[in-house]
């Protein structure tokens, strides 16, 4: 006898046995997680690209996990045990740019109700709706003395699934799995994808890759040159018309997008004559947020509507007032930490002056609270002016950068910060001296590569540290100096040193710093 309940009822033909297995529907999941989606949805983080990207990636993984639970009653091997999400610290206007990073656990169970409850609890959200949902575990009423027919059928189904995954693994890797466990390294779909990419990259040499892609890069570079000339002329016209010091494009998109930004600014000036007078003698940067940077540049988010640009320009004096306070805030923090230098991270993303002022106040207050109860360690030098401290957002790292800077998040407790400094002052000095030596070597190698390969430009990603860049450039110069046709085909191209191979839409050639010869 078969009994159907709802849209998602499993059925098993077992004589003399009545089985009911009610599954949670997708609409119920959406309703249960509505408060969670309102808290983490990427559209709420339009002005904060880092937080937006993290939430967007995590939501994709969460969606795949929930879909697998609802439709297949199984856990995807690629599903992590926890997903990172950013949520706003509060809805108060002064905390608009501050976030907390939370880890949302994904229970390793096919009980969707338990998974939903854990997600909501991790964000301190109400679970009343989930608690009222019916249980998802199978219930049975048997007229026979045992439920063994059902158990046997279900076990056979599980065995078939295990056999399938085992065969898939053998086919891909030519060996048996020691055990069917979610944590087995090659059973994870993402690891399989990474493994294949790694194998391709190991077999790819720079010369071989260039032979396959240099024509594409050359064609794209020439095709975009006329557009670049047009954009450069438009930039000069807008700069002169608005009395700007400079217009910079720092968004990472292609040159066509830059042209669109320039035209939007030009149109804004036409629609609101006189309203843009606050931009005179300023540098305008098309960037990933709208605000005023620590350098005093006016940052315009390329994804914002013109109204938001106009609101910033009209209230630019308010942002400038925070900018003028920054030296005082930095001096106060320096005095608390024995004259330590307060710097800016050499490769850090651009930050707003208003948010940075808040970060400085928080870290200074934390240290003063610490000093009210304790003292700095005796092992510390009486003067810390040799060291450089960088204060970043609440979600920033606690680390020593490759350049020797001490990076700390604004919410770091005073005791934790003092402990970190105590254990890493020596490391910071070593990295500082190493960077001071390497940066001059890097500049020399950079100039030699541009000249030898006749490059239009040579840049690098922020993730490529000086030692990596030096290693890459030395290999390029050695390879280019080989006799017998050893010269690499890079003439009249824009080259970027990064961590992957690619040809961008504007013809820029990206190569990994650790490319194979």
């Amino acid at each position: 006898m078969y009994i159907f309940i709802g849209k998602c009822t499993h059925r098993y033909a077992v004589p003399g046995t009545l089985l009911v297995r009610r599954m949670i529907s997708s609409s119920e999941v959406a309703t249960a997680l509505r408060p969670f989606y309102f808290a983490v949805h990427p559209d709420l983080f339009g002005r904060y690209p880092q937080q937006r990207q993290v939430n967007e990636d995590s939501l994709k993984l969460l969606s795949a996990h929930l879909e697998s639970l609802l439709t297949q009653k199984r856990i995807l091997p690629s599903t992590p045990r926890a997903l990172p999400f950013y949520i706003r610290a509060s809805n108060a206007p002064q905390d608009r740019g501050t976030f907390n990073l939370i880890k949302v656990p994904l229970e390793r169970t096919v009980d969707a109700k338990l998974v939903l409850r854990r997600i909501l609890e991790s964000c301190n959200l109400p679970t009343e709706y989930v608690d009222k949902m019916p249980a998802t575990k199978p219930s049975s009423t048997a007229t026979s003395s045992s439920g063994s027919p059902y158990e046997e059928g279900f076990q056979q189904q599980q065995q078939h699934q295990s056999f399938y995954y085992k065969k898939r693994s053998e086919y891909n890797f030519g060996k048996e799995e020691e055990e069917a466990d979610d944590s087995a390294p090659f059973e994870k779909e993402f690891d399989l994808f990474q493994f294949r990419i790694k194998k391709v990259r190991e077999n790819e040499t720079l010369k071989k890759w260039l032979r396959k892609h240099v024509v594409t890069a050359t064609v794209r570079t020439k095709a975009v040159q006329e557009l670049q000339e047009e954009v450069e002329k438009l930039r000069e016209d807008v700069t002169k018309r608005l009395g700007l010091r400079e217009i910079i494009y720092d968004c990472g998109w292609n040159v066509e997008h830059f042209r669109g930004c320039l035209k939007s600014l030009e149109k804004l000036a036409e629609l609101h004559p006189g309203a843009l007078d606050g931009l005179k003698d300023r540098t305008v940067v098309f960037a990933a947020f709208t605000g005023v940077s620590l350098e005093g540049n006016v940052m315009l988010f390329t994804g914002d509507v013109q109204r938001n640009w106009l609101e910033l320009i009209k209230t630019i004096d308010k942002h400038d007032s925070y900018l003028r306070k920054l030296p005082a805030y930095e001096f106060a923090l320096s005095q608390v930490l024995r004259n330590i230098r307060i710097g800016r991270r050499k490769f850090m993303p651009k930050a707003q002056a208003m948010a940075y002022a808040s970060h400085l106040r928080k870290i200074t207050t934390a240290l003063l609270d610490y000093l009210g109860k304790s003292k700095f360690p005796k092992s510390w030098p009486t003067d810390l002016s040799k060291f450089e401290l960088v204060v970043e957002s609440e979600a920033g790292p606690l680390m020593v950068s490759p350049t020797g800077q001490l990076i700390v998040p604004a919410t770091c407790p005073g005791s934790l910060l003092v402990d970190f400094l105590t254990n890493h002052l020596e490391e910071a000095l070593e990295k500082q001296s190493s960077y001071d030596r390497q940066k001059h070597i890097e500049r020399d190698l950079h100039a030699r590569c541009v000249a030898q390969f006749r490059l239009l430009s040579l840049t690098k990603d922020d993730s490529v540290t000086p030692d990596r860049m030096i290693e890459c450039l030395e290999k390029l110069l050695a390879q280019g100096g080989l006799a017998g046709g050893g010269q690499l085909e890079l003439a009249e191209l824009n080259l970027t040193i990064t961590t992957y191979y690619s040809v961008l839409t504007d013809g820029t050639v990206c190569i990994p710093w650790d490319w194979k010869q």
Side-chain angles (χ1 to χ4, degrees), residues 15-26:
T17 303
L18 176 64
L19 292 173
V20 179
R21 193 179 190 184
R22 205 272 193 184
M23 300 283 288
I24 294 176
S25 68
S26 58

Side-chain angles (χ1 to χ4, degrees), residues 264-275:
S264 294
L265 186 59
E266 186 180 43
K267 185 177 180 180
L268 188 64
E270 294 174 355
L271 294 175
H272 303 275

Side-chain angles (χ1 to χ4, degrees), residues 21-221:
R21 193 179 190 184
R22 205 272 193 184
M23 300 283 288
I24 294 176
S25 68
S26 58
S27 61
E28 288 175 314
V29 170
T31 302
L33 292 182
R34 186 173 297 159
F36 173 74
Y37 292 143
F38 282 151
V40 304
H41 199 280
D43 288 350
L44 301 173
F45 299 84
R47 298 188 180 185
Y48 309 97
Q50 176 186 350
Q51 288 80 4
R52 178 188 177 94
Q53 189 62 51
V54 169
N55 285 13
E56 190 172 313
D57 294 341
S58 294
L59 279 176
K60 290 177 183 178
L61 292 173
L62 177 61
S63 177
H65 177 64
L66 293 175
E67 182 180 359
S68 178
L69 289 184
L70 295 179
T71 60
Q72 303 178 41
K73 291 294 289 183
R74 78 180 184 94
I75 301 170
L76 289 174
S78 59
T79 301
R81 295 187 179 273
L83 292 173
F85 282 98
Y86 283 101
I87 60 174
R88 294 188 183 276
S90 73
N91 293 323
Q94 63 269 21
D95 294 329
R96 186 170 296 173
T98 59
F99 308 96
N100 294 327
L101 179 64
I102 60 173
K103 296 289 185 179
V104 174
L106 297 183
E107 296 291 334
R108 314 305 286 183
T109 175
V110 293
D111 184 355
K113 183 176 178 179
L114 178 59
V115 173
L116 296 176
R117 184 185 293 113
R118 291 288 184 267
I119 292 173
L120 294 171
E121 288 175 347
S122 66
C123 302
N124 295 321
L125 295 172
T127 61
E128 287 84 354
Y129 182 84
V130 176
D131 294 335
K132 294 177 183 178
M133 295 168 67
T136 59
K137 294 180 179 179
S139 61
S140 64
T141 305
T143 58
S144 60
S145 59
S146 71
S148 58
Y150 163 76
E151 293 173 359
E152 181 181 354
F154 188 74
Q155 289 172 357
Q156 288 177 352
Q157 183 188 32
Q158 295 297 320
Q159 289 172 357
H160 286 314
Q161 290 179 347
S162 298
F163 175 78
Y164 166 72
Y165 287 113
K166 182 176 181 181
K167 282 298 181 185
R168 181 186 67 173
S169 178
E170 290 174 355
Y171 176 77
N172 287 331
F173 302 101
K175 62 179 182 180
E176 294 187 5
E177 293 277 329
E178 294 182 1
E179 56 179 315
D181 184 80
D182 285 337
S183 61
F186 289 112
E187 197 175 270
K188 295 182 179 179
E189 295 166 8
F190 181 72
D191 284 348
L192 173 62
F193 173 72
Q194 293 284 68
F195 175 79
R196 288 174 174 168
I197 289 180
K198 183 179 178 182
K199 294 300 290 183
V200 170
R201 182 172 170 182
E202 286 176 352
N203 297 327
E204 188 82 275
T205 65
L206 177 59
K207 190 177 294 186
K208 181 179 177 182
W209 185 86
L210 283 174
R211 278 201 297 266
K212 291 188 293 185
H213 297 91
V214 71
V215 174
T216 301
T218 302
V219 171
R220 290 180 180 178
T221 300

Side-chain angles (χ1 to χ4, degrees), residues 458-470:
L458 174 59
T459 57
K460 69 172 183 177
D461 277 355
D462 291 345
S463 60
V464 180
T465 54
D467 57 328
R468 291 179 173 181
M469 188 67 170
I470 289 171

